[in-house]
Amino acid sequence: MVIPTEDSVITEMTSTLRDWGTMWKQLYVRNEGDLFHRLWHIMNEILDLRRQVLVGHLTHDRMKDVKRHITARLDWGNEQLGLDLVPRKEYAMVDPEEISITELYRLMEHRHRKKDTPVPASSHHLFVQMKSLMCSNLGEELEVIFSLFDSKENRPISERFFLRLNRNGLPKCPEKPERHCSLFVDLGSSELRKDIYITVHIIRIGRMGAGEKKNACNVQYRRPFGCAVLSIADLLAGDSKDDLILKVYMCNTENDWYQIHENIIKKLNARYNLTGSNAGLAVSLQLLHGDMEQIRREYTSMFTHGVSITRKLGFSNIIMPGEMRNDLYITVERGEFEKGGKSVARNVEVTMHVVDSSGQILKDFISFGSGEPPASEYHSFVLYHNNGPRWAELLKLPIPVDKFRGAHIRCEFRHCSTKEKGEKKLFGFSFVPLMQENGRTLPDGTHELIVHKCEENTNLQDSSRYLKLPFSKGIFLGNNSQAVKTTKESFWITSFLCSTKLTQNGDMLDLLKWRTHPDKIAGCLSKLKEIDGSEIVKFLQDTLDTLFGILDENSQKYGSKVFDCLVHIINLLQDSKFHHFKPVMDTYIESHFAGALAYRDLIKVLKWHIDRVTEVELQEHIQEVLKAQEYIFKYIVQSRRLFSIATGGQNEEEFRCCIQELLLSVRFFLSQESKGASALSQLQAVFLSSFPSVYSELLKLFDVREVANLVHDALGSLPTVMHGDECLQAVKLQSIGKTVESHLYTNPDSRYILLPVVLHHLHMHLQEQKDLIMCARILSNIFCLIKKNSSEKSVLGEIDVIVNSLLDILLRTILEITSRPQPSGSAMRLQFQDVTGEFVSCLLSLLRQMTDRHYQQLLDSFSTKEDLRDFLLQIFTVFRILIRPEMFPKDWTVMRLVANNVIITTVLYLSDALRKNFLNENFDYKIWDSYFFLAVIFINQLCLQLEMFTPSKKKKVLEKYGDMRVTMGCEIFSMWQNLGEHKLHFIPALIGPFLEVTLIPQPDLRNVMIPIFHDMMDWEQRRSGNFKQVEAKLIDKLDSLMSEGKGDETYRELFNSILLKKIERETWRESGVSLIATVTRLMERLLDYRDCMKMGEVDGKKIGCTVSLLNFYKTELNKEEMYIRYIHKLYDLHLKAQNFTEAAYTLLLYDELLEWSDRPLREFLNYPMQTEWQRKEYLHLTIIQNFDRGKCWENGIILCRKIAEQYESYYDYRNLSKMRMMEASLYDKIMDQQRLEPEFFRVGFYGKKFPFFLRNKEFVCRGHDYERLEAFQQRMLNEFPHAIAMQHANQPDETIFQAEAQYLQIYAVTPIPENQEVLQRDGIPDNIKSFYKVNHIWRFRYDRPFHKGTKDKENEFKSLWVERTTLILVQSLPGISRWFEVEKREVAFFVKEYVLNHPEDGEKITRLRELMLEQAQILEFGLAVHEKFVPQDMRPLHKKLVDQFFVMKSSLGIQEFSACVQASPIHFPNGSPRVCRNSVPVSMSPDGARVIPRRSPLSYPAVNRYSSSSLSSQASAEVSNITGQSESSDEVFNMQPSPSTSSLSSTHSASPNVTSSAPSSARASPLLSDKHKHSRENSCLSPRERPCSAIYPTPSETSQRMLFNHIGDGALPRSDSNLSGPEKAVNTTPSSWSLDSGKEARNTSESGKLISPPVPPRPAQTASPARHTASISPSPAGRSPMKGSVQSFTPSPVEYHSSGLISNSPALSGSYSSSISSLSRCSTSETSGFESQGSEQTVTVPNYSVSEEPVRKESKTPPPYSVYERTLKRPVPLPHSLSIPAASDPPALPPKPQLVRPNNLENSSRRTEQVPRPRPLPRKVSQL
């Protein structure tokens, strides 16, 4: 066995400090500064104390004191930090396994009670410190006298505290603290009341009159100065450490000085006034509580520096033996003097001396007060001209006993002259002896002393000359009575003796001197009862010797009287004032008692009294005798021992017989039954209360078995009737309790004899449920003696007896007391908890001591199964009670763990009985249900959740007990498996409890318990063919349990994997997988919901998570009640976030579930019981209110109309009127109030760290008012602080999806309004239109530029494409959330799939193909014109343009035009050439558009009108959006369709259309530097005026029509200068005309020929190789590597613009400085006939134009055909398909662009009149 050498306190201290260290740092983190610093100081103190213990140089007492300090600080820290209460015994931790559970409970309860309810101190002390006296007229020394005064009894209750002040009012001896501070000690609790006052009398030392001249008199007199008073109740209100300023008062006449304090207390204002306006006494007062030892420990500094002790007058409340006092208190009261032949009264001063028997003055025996050393004489203060002065000054004379006899007090009276000499003339004296000749001291009380006249020169030194004279009126010595009668002068004093050695009682002296007066013995014995108890205890030993001396002398005559006196003295010591003298009597019996024969008389007299208990006249006296039986037996036993020692053990048998006869009388006396509360029952109660104290005395003479049998017989003779006297029953139980606590019971032999009778009485009391507190205490004491693991045979036998006698009644008692309502009073409640805890600890102790044999005997003892069933139900119920959280205080973890260990051990024993007796045909549902219920709540106990413990605590618990949850879980599984077909009784009832168990984060427990759900599913499937019940119960319980914080992601995965594995081979596998998947998805959402709800503020996560859960309950689970609950939770979140529109939509979900009927609805949530109509009406009104607050008035109007219809149908015109007025007010608000149009943002959440409802999904969010992209992105990053903002718009790859991180992809999107009709109609105010632009939006679009194939370093725009994506949401915005998931995204290309999916767009696709072909022809004609007019020095540029044209034409798949272009004009059928902003034809790619389907909601088709604009402007703005620069670079435009290299575009900053222009010569020339390659100002400039006769296109054949995807009317490229950027769009195409493959493309090109316009001849040397390669179709390598997997990009915030463009703003339009040719004038105008009705595709366009820069600052004039020309409102020529056919042949030249359809002109002009809204500059998405 290893015994640690380290002290257990040191071990505990070390481990505790380690635990505190971690928690201490957490206090700092949590900003709990106060506790942080306090704990730091305590930790330092503990470390200091630890060092002292480790050094090992401490004395035993000091070591004990240090350990006490350490444990006190450890307990304080544990309490502050919420740690467990540590059970300790003598400052060391106890092992709960080494002591009984009842003893452990007592230790815990003692420490808990000590912590919670501090014992009120019975002793109090007042600390007084004098600071200063503040007064303006000082200048003389002062005496200050403090004392405590009882105004109720009108007397002082303490000695005086006396101190001197100097002329400045400060203490005279500041270096001696004991001179100016004092402790008034031993104040009882009864003296802390408001009528106890602190009185302060101030005496000045100086001239007779305060205003006399200095030379008037040189003699110093004590003269009254002032008085101050303070009630002690003022100190009880709080801690009075601060200085107090007491007002100082002076009496109006000196005659009232003696009672000035009484006048101030009574507030008799006419008799006193303030001594000065600023007079005040500064004192410090503090009340201290506890005994003097405690005060000395806690206030060591006070006693170290010095403090005087001021006692109470007389003895304290408790007189301690050995206390030596001999204090005579003299109060100088008053005098009556004659004038002495003078015309005025005298100024009398009293001088007092103490004179001994020899006439010498005793030195230093007159004490003025505690702060001043005793003096030899006393001088009273002088009252001016007063013959009847009253002084009332208290003095203490601490004269030793040996000097007391023969001593006397002499008082001399002098007249104090106020003349210059200041003489003091003696005119009389008085004296009084302190002790009479018979030994009696001066009696207490007031004495009127005779004033003997004398002259100034009278010699009083010879005391023998006057001692023969009479000293007091009424007491005369000698024959000089005549002289006494003539005197008229008197002097009064009051004396009070406080002595432990001297007495004033003559009867006491007569008894002690009984031998000198034998005839007075009987009288003295009779008078003993009348003597004051304090006089008896002073002479206790002498008195007892006297009594037993008289008994020895004549026992026959005085035996009975001596016995009565002895009983009186014994009972006197029962008084609390004298109970400390019991040890004095014990010492007397052991050491001084010598009555060897006394036992005979004492036994005889005691038996005589007991035999006569029925005699009524003696019962009061017998009661006194029975009270004293303990000490009577002590005298009997000691007397017999002395006799045995003296005689060698003679008469032993006789003594035994006497004792036997005495106890036989006792048994007869106790067996008497009495009805009700009779005198006899009172005598029995008195006897029983003191009978146990006799056991120890009997053990001194008899064997332990003999005594045990005697006690057994005596207690067994008690009547068993419980309906008798209640008081007697209680005392009987107390006597049994004392028996169990006695030394007799601790012996195993005697305990076995006494146990049956003790248990018998306990059983009776418990059965009647009486005196439960005492029963609990007795049981606790019984079990405290039975240690754990005690395998002795006697102990096992005792356990047998207790189990058979008490187990059943103990269980019933616990059930009874725990089912009662708890008392209301705090003290009663504490008592109630104590008794419950004690019974519980007794039960646990008994169960822990029971072995296998005991359990087997117990179970076999039940005769029927019904009895066994009742017992098991009872004990299971008790166990459920024991593990309630309120059973023990929260920090009693040690006790809880011990209890749980006992419970699980017992349950393991009892589960066998359950299996053997209650299965198969004997199956009992109730008992099995009780068992499972107990097991479940056992596992769920908070004290067993080891995950919440600190590592050290967890380790200790596992080492001692293991994980009891797993043990119980295995037992549950085992018992479940034994049930067989009876399992069906518990389905679905046990699903919830078992689910709660599996949610505990213990892997082993989960692995054991989760398979039970498979078993339940299997049995349910067998019974009903499905497991709907299992599913319903699982879903219902999951919500409530997970909302309580239970469950985690690991559990979800484990639940899924274990059950899926279990059902692999089941026939019902498919439906099982479905159930598991449903429950797993519900867990995902519930976990997300719980995590989100932990956040402080309402954010998008909370709302989104609630929406996800709400929809899940509705769509997948169809749980209407849960659905409604979460509707209201979502509603509350919206209100908190002030999302009033969303709140209205949310409440509308509940409203839609109700009908306008009178069906009654129950009370639900916050709704009262009401009809369905009333609730729906209330919901309507609430929703309208929220729509109003959210400025969504149009929706409110609809609801107003609905509810108005209901009012109208019921003829409720009053409410109908109100509703119509409300509706009207909403119309007014639409027209009068301003509404902000929100922006919309697409947000992608990628990565596995996002919650399930967000993970790898994309949403469109409706922004807040004034919220732009940067603000929105910052808000999202604040909501997801760990997220990384993606800086591109590409679709993430799988690595991003599966990453253990969070990625956010955010960019702005443009809404596609649904109600196009309202937006296009003329005359509708913008206030109305603005609502339809941003409400009920299902579809959004955005454009993404990217490079298809390899980026061409020579011409970066050659591979630049734009991808347009349309996002379709699951619900329209706004709705029940500010964001909704994207259900479907459509990425549009020129593909066959799109044609098949959108047959309604066939005509537009055909038309688009024609237009693109036309554009290619126009560009070639333009080159032909350029060929004719180009100067020679520009020929290289022209050559480059021609070469580039053929390269681009070949890449588009257009067959080469004829080599020679004719110069003759070609007539357009519609009178004007069809031109486009795109400089070259666009080739179409067969790369398909992939549509990503999601859940399909209703969609409202909507169309936006767009116009064309330059790609260069788009690209420029997009680049600016990414890089923050105005110029592009190769790096910026190297946009491959990958996650890392995509540009972000803002739909605000530029048009989403793509415009290509001819490449510049700078780009074509290899001689120019790289920086010129990117120059946008040097790009190809078209002539300012294009001759319309120069080019006549040849209409293309229908077989050559191109298929194109169209969004809105983007197929109509527009260059109307009055249209805003978002209204302009051009549709882009992939790189092939083919719908399917390159083969199809070739077939198409061969089926018909393009009629090419003539091209001017060129010199051979300028021919470009591009001409020979133009017919080659582009290779497949040029296609996008990511087919259909388009990725989003981040544009700047979008503001919807209906029309208008700030034409001179480069920031808005991009740079149009050099790349806009005159062809832009000829682009198509807006034509409503070609607007699409809801095509939701994205167009991708290859762009070969040079990107354009904004106009540079140094450019003073715009270049030709710059953006400034767009302000010219010129008619725009129509395309030939929309033109009005001409009435005559077309003219020779194309007409000027003046023919425009009237409706378009109107719309155009109306748009140009509107003031465009400014848009912000392109912004870059910030990176995290």
Side-chain angles (χ1 to χ4, degrees), residues 279-292:
L281 192 69
V283 294
S284 175
L285 302 172
Q286 186 180 359
L287 265 177
L288 312 177
H289 310 281
D291 57 30
M292 278 304 293

Side-chain angles (χ1 to χ4, degrees), residues 1269-1387:
L1269 183 62
E1270 288 83 354
F1272 176 78
Q1273 186 178 27
Q1274 190 58 49
R1275 175 156 68 89
M1276 296 305 296
L1277 290 174
N1278 289 339
E1279 287 186 22
F1280 300 95
H1282 302 293
I1284 302 168
M1286 298 175 68
Q1287 299 300 312
H1288 60 78
N1290 298 334
Q1291 191 75 3
D1293 55 18
E1294 195 62 27
T1295 57
I1296 296 291
F1297 287 143
Q1298 300 302 323
E1300 293 292 334
Q1302 292 180 341
Y1303 292 95
L1304 278 176
Q1305 192 179 50
I1306 304 171
Y1307 45 78
V1309 291
T1310 306
I1312 303 177
E1314 196 66 27
N1315 197 334
Q1316 203 67 29
E1317 180 185 354
V1318 176
L1319 298 177
Q1320 293 179 355
R1321 189 179 298 176
D1322 298 340
I1324 297 178
D1326 288 345
N1327 285 10
I1328 299 173
K1329 286 186 177 181
S1330 64
F1331 173 79
Y1332 296 97
K1333 291 178 184 176
V1334 291
N1335 283 272
H1336 308 301
I1337 308 296
W1338 291 81
R1339 299 184 303 152
F1340 299 85
R1341 72 143 197 240
Y1342 71 94
D1343 294 340
R1344 180 180 72 92
F1346 70 96
H1347 286 274
K1348 187 163 186 177
T1350 307
K1351 178 181 175 183
D1352 191 342
K1353 292 184 179 180
E1354 296 295 326
N1355 182 6
E1356 59 191 20
F1357 294 99
K1358 177 179 178 180
S1359 58
L1360 184 63
W1361 290 57
V1362 170
E1363 174 187 84
R1364 172 162 295 169
T1365 304
T1366 299
L1367 305 177
I1368 303 174
L1369 307 186
V1370 294
Q1371 293 185 38
S1372 64
L1373 281 172
I1376 63 172
S1377 175
R1378 293 194 79 95
W1379 52 2
F1380 285 120
E1381 188 179 351
V1382 175
E1383 180 193 39
K1384 185 166 63 173
R1385 59 160 50 219
E1386 293 186 349
V1387 184

Side-chain angles (χ1 to χ4, degrees), residues 128 130 144-147 159-161 163 184 198-200 283:
V128 177
M130 176 69 195
V144 182
I145 302 149
F146 290 85
S147 66
E159 297 178 1
R160 305 197 304 175
F161 167 47
L163 62 98
F184 287 78
I198 303 163
T199 62
V200 189
V283 294

Side-chain angles (χ1 to χ4, degrees), residues 220-222 347-351 378-383 391 412-416 424 427:
Q220 302 285 311
Y221 304 109
R222 297 179 70 235
N347 305 324
V348 181
E349 178 188 76
V350 182
T351 304
Y378 153 76
H379 296 279
S380 72
F381 57 81
V382 180
L383 297 178
W391 294 280
E412 301 170 1
F413 309 106
R414 289 180 172 80
H415 167 65
C416 301
K424 294 182 180 180
F427 65 86

Side-chain angles (χ1 to χ4, degrees), residues 80-236:
Q80 295 297 318
L81 294 172
L83 299 176
D84 298 334
L85 185 68
V86 178
R88 287 198 182 86
K89 210 172 183 179
E90 296 178 355
Y91 310 119
M93 291 175 66
V94 296
D95 186 349
E97 301 301 310
E98 299 300 323
I99 60 174
S100 68
I101 297 180
T102 50
E103 189 177 359
L104 174 66
Y105 176 82
R106 284 187 174 179
L107 289 173
M108 302 286 287
E109 192 267 343
H110 171 71
R111 297 187 64 75
H112 183 73
R113 186 184 293 275
K114 187 177 178 183
K115 178 182 72 176
D116 285 354
T117 53
V119 179
S122 59
S123 187
H124 312 275
H125 316 275
L126 176 65
F127 176 73
V128 177
Q129 183 176 11
M130 176 69 195
K131 295 298 182 71
S132 66
L133 174 66
M134 296 170 286
C135 189
S136 57
N137 55 355
L138 288 179
E140 296 174 326
E141 292 185 359
L142 302 172
E143 296 172 354
V144 182
I145 302 149
F146 290 85
S147 66
L148 298 179
F149 183 81
D150 187 342
S151 63
K152 190 175 183 181
E153 299 184 11
N154 207 27
R155 66 178 183 87
I157 61 171
S158 75
E159 297 178 1
R160 305 197 304 175
F161 167 47
F162 183 98
L163 62 98
R164 300 181 187 276
L165 302 182
N166 59 25
R167 295 172 183 273
N168 298 320
L170 298 174
K172 205 169 182 182
C173 302
E175 72 282 356
K176 296 181 179 179
E178 70 276 6
R179 294 289 185 91
H180 55 81
C181 60
S182 181
L183 194 65
F184 287 78
V185 297
D186 295 329
L187 301 178
S189 298
S190 62
E191 288 153 338
L192 297 181
R193 58 181 196 268
K194 62 181 180 180
D195 48 13
I196 301 294
Y197 288 86
I198 303 163
T199 62
V200 189
H201 292 81
I202 305 171
I203 304 293
R204 64 181 179 85
I205 310 296
R207 295 175 297 280
M208 185 66 69
E212 289 181 0
K213 297 178 182 179
K214 289 186 178 180
N215 58 359
C217 180
N218 295 323
V219 181
Q220 302 285 311
Y221 304 109
R222 297 179 70 235
R223 295 279 290 144
F225 179 82
C227 179
V229 168
L230 176 70
S231 171
I232 205 165
D234 296 338
L235 300 180
L236 297 176

Side-chain angles (χ1 to χ4, degrees), residues 463-634:
S463 59
S464 60
R465 296 177 59 185
Y466 60 80
L467 283 177
K468 296 177 181 178
L469 298 174
F471 60 88
S472 174
K473 293 186 178 182
I475 299 176
F476 306 109
L477 297 175
N479 298 319
N480 49 4
S481 60
Q482 188 69 26
V484 175
K485 289 180 181 178
T486 58
T487 182
K488 296 182 181 179
E489 296 182 319
S490 298
F491 176 61
W492 284 266
I493 64 170
T494 300
S495 70
F496 171 65
L497 179 66
C498 181
S499 173
T500 56
K501 286 299 179 184
L502 300 175
T503 181
Q504 301 163 334
N505 192 290
D507 295 332
M508 191 74 206
L509 289 174
D510 292 342
L511 180 62
L512 295 176
K513 297 177 181 179
W514 63 279
R515 292 187 186 275
T516 58
H517 304 284
D519 53 328
K520 293 184 178 181
I521 290 176
C524 290
L525 291 175
S526 301
K527 291 179 181 178
L528 180 67
K529 296 180 182 179
E530 300 171 5
I531 297 175
D532 183 55
S534 60
E535 295 293 319
I536 295 176
V537 297
K538 284 182 194 177
F539 310 104
L540 183 60
Q541 183 175 335
D542 297 334
T543 306
L544 292 171
D545 283 341
T546 299
L547 291 177
F548 286 108
I550 294 172
L551 188 65
D552 286 344
E553 288 282 332
N554 197 341
S555 62
Q556 293 294 327
K557 185 177 181 180
Y558 301 116
S560 179
K561 287 193 173 184
V562 169
F563 184 86
D564 290 344
C565 289
L566 185 62
V567 167
H568 172 72
I569 293 173
I570 291 171
N571 288 332
L572 183 69
L573 301 188
Q574 308 294 335
D575 188 345
S576 60
K577 187 172 183 178
F578 307 116
H579 75 273
H580 286 287
F581 279 87
K582 280 187 178 181
V584 177
M585 182 172 276
D586 291 333
T587 305
Y588 172 78
I589 293 172
E590 289 292 329
S591 306
H592 303 290
F593 175 58
L597 298 174
Y599 72 90
R600 296 174 179 175
D601 298 305
L602 292 176
I603 291 176
K604 184 173 69 174
V605 178
L606 179 60
K607 186 176 183 303
W608 184 89
H609 281 92
I610 291 175
D611 289 340
R612 283 160 181 76
V613 291
T614 54
E615 298 180 14
V616 177
E617 65 274 6
L618 291 175
Q619 283 182 347
E620 186 175 347
H621 179 60
I622 292 173
Q623 189 169 335
E624 295 295 318
V625 172
L626 295 179
K627 281 182 184 177
Q629 66 171 319
E630 176 188 356
Y631 276 94
I632 292 173
F633 268 97
K634 285 187 176 183

